[in-house]
Short mmCIF file of all heavy atoms in Angstrom, two decimals:
data_model
loop_
_atom_site.label_atom_id
_atom_site.label_comp_id
_atom_site.label_asym_id
_atom_site.label_seq_id
_atom_site.Cartn_x
_atom_site.Cartn_y
_atom_site.Cartn_z
N GLU K 3 1.84 5.24 0.44
CA GLU K 3 1.58 6.28 1.42
C GLU K 3 0.71 7.38 0.79
O GLU K 3 0.90 7.74 -0.37
CB GLU K 3 2.94 6.86 1.85
CG GLU K 3 2.90 7.68 3.07
CD GLU K 3 4.31 8.05 3.52
OE1 GLU K 3 5.22 8.10 2.69
OE2 GLU K 3 4.46 8.27 4.72
N PRO K 4 -0.22 7.95 1.52
CA PRO K 4 -1.07 9.01 0.98
C PRO K 4 -0.22 10.22 0.54
O PRO K 4 0.83 10.51 1.12
CB PRO K 4 -1.98 9.40 2.14
CG PRO K 4 -1.87 8.31 3.13
CD PRO K 4 -0.58 7.60 2.89
N LEU K 5 -0.69 10.90 -0.47
CA LEU K 5 0.02 12.04 -1.03
C LEU K 5 0.28 13.12 0.02
O LEU K 5 1.37 13.68 0.07
CB LEU K 5 -0.79 12.63 -2.20
CG LEU K 5 -0.18 13.84 -2.90
CD1 LEU K 5 1.19 13.49 -3.47
CD2 LEU K 5 -1.10 14.36 -3.97
N GLU K 6 -0.68 13.40 0.87
CA GLU K 6 -0.49 14.43 1.90
C GLU K 6 0.67 14.09 2.83
O GLU K 6 1.45 14.95 3.22
CB GLU K 6 -1.77 14.63 2.75
CG GLU K 6 -2.91 15.27 2.00
CD GLU K 6 -4.00 14.27 1.67
OE1 GLU K 6 -4.06 13.20 2.30
OE2 GLU K 6 -4.77 14.56 0.75
N LYS K 7 0.76 12.81 3.18
CA LYS K 7 1.83 12.37 4.08
C LYS K 7 3.20 12.51 3.40
O LYS K 7 4.17 12.95 4.01
CB LYS K 7 1.58 10.91 4.50
CG LYS K 7 2.36 10.49 5.69
CD LYS K 7 1.89 11.24 6.91
CE LYS K 7 2.28 10.49 8.15
NZ LYS K 7 2.11 11.31 9.33
N ARG K 8 3.27 12.15 2.11
CA ARG K 8 4.51 12.27 1.35
C ARG K 8 4.91 13.74 1.22
O ARG K 8 6.09 14.09 1.35
CB ARG K 8 4.37 11.61 -0.01
CG ARG K 8 4.33 10.09 0.12
CD ARG K 8 4.11 9.32 -1.16
NE ARG K 8 4.71 9.88 -2.34
CZ ARG K 8 4.18 9.79 -3.55
NH1 ARG K 8 3.03 9.17 -3.74
NH2 ARG K 8 4.79 10.31 -4.59
N LEU K 9 3.93 14.61 0.96
CA LEU K 9 4.21 16.04 0.87
C LEU K 9 4.69 16.61 2.21
O LEU K 9 5.60 17.43 2.26
CB LEU K 9 2.97 16.81 0.40
CG LEU K 9 2.69 16.77 -1.09
CD1 LEU K 9 1.35 17.43 -1.40
CD2 LEU K 9 3.80 17.44 -1.85
N GLU K 10 4.08 16.16 3.27
CA GLU K 10 4.47 16.60 4.62
C GLU K 10 5.93 16.21 4.89
O GLU K 10 6.71 17.02 5.40
CB GLU K 10 3.54 15.95 5.64
CG GLU K 10 3.73 16.44 7.05
CD GLU K 10 2.74 15.77 8.00
OE1 GLU K 10 1.53 15.84 7.74
OE2 GLU K 10 3.20 15.16 8.99
N LYS K 11 6.29 14.97 4.54
CA LYS K 11 7.68 14.52 4.72
C LYS K 11 8.64 15.34 3.87
O LYS K 11 9.71 15.74 4.32
CB LYS K 11 7.82 13.04 4.35
CG LYS K 11 7.40 12.08 5.39
CD LYS K 11 7.71 10.66 4.92
CE LYS K 11 7.30 9.63 5.91
NZ LYS K 11 7.60 8.27 5.43
N ALA K 12 8.26 15.58 2.63
CA ALA K 12 9.11 16.35 1.72
C ALA K 12 9.30 17.77 2.23
O ALA K 12 10.42 18.31 2.19
CB ALA K 12 8.53 16.35 0.31
N MET K 13 8.26 18.39 2.73
CA MET K 13 8.35 19.76 3.26
C MET K 13 9.24 19.80 4.51
O MET K 13 10.04 20.72 4.68
CB MET K 13 6.96 20.32 3.56
CG MET K 13 6.14 20.62 2.32
SD MET K 13 6.95 21.76 1.18
CE MET K 13 6.93 23.26 2.14
N ALA K 14 9.10 18.81 5.37
CA ALA K 14 9.94 18.74 6.57
C ALA K 14 11.41 18.57 6.18
O ALA K 14 12.29 19.21 6.76
CB ALA K 14 9.48 17.60 7.48
N GLU K 15 11.66 17.73 5.20
CA GLU K 15 13.04 17.53 4.75
C GLU K 15 13.59 18.79 4.10
O GLU K 15 14.74 19.15 4.30
CB GLU K 15 13.12 16.33 3.79
CG GLU K 15 14.55 16.02 3.44
CD GLU K 15 14.76 14.60 2.99
OE1 GLU K 15 14.00 13.70 3.38
OE2 GLU K 15 15.72 14.39 2.26
N LEU K 16 12.76 19.47 3.33
CA LEU K 16 13.19 20.72 2.70
C LEU K 16 13.54 21.76 3.76
O LEU K 16 14.57 22.42 3.66
CB LEU K 16 12.08 21.26 1.79
CG LEU K 16 12.35 22.62 1.15
CD1 LEU K 16 13.59 22.57 0.26
CD2 LEU K 16 11.13 23.07 0.37
N GLN K 17 12.72 21.88 4.79
CA GLN K 17 13.00 22.84 5.85
C GLN K 17 14.30 22.48 6.57
O GLN K 17 15.13 23.35 6.84
CB GLN K 17 11.85 22.91 6.85
CG GLN K 17 12.08 23.95 7.93
CD GLN K 17 10.90 24.09 8.87
OE1 GLN K 17 9.88 23.44 8.71
NE2 GLN K 17 11.04 24.95 9.86
N ALA K 18 14.50 21.21 6.86
CA ALA K 18 15.74 20.77 7.52
C ALA K 18 16.94 21.06 6.62
O ALA K 18 17.99 21.50 7.11
CB ALA K 18 15.65 19.29 7.86
N ASN K 104 14.40 9.77 3.04
CA ASN K 104 12.99 9.79 3.43
C ASN K 104 12.03 10.01 2.27
O ASN K 104 10.87 9.62 2.34
CB ASN K 104 12.74 10.88 4.48
CG ASN K 104 13.46 10.59 5.77
OD1 ASN K 104 13.66 9.44 6.13
ND2 ASN K 104 13.86 11.63 6.46
N VAL K 105 12.53 10.69 1.23
CA VAL K 105 11.67 11.01 0.09
C VAL K 105 12.34 10.49 -1.17
O VAL K 105 13.21 11.15 -1.74
CB VAL K 105 11.42 12.54 -0.01
CG1 VAL K 105 10.45 12.85 -1.15
CG2 VAL K 105 10.90 13.09 1.31
#
Side-chain angles (χ1 to χ4, degrees):
E3 194 172 27
L5 180 60
E6 290 106 20
K7 196 67 159 167
R8 289 177 35 213
L9 280 173
E10 187 179 305
K11 279 185 180 179
M13 290 303 292
E15 186 157 333
L16 176 60
Q17 183 176 358
N104 295 329
V105 184

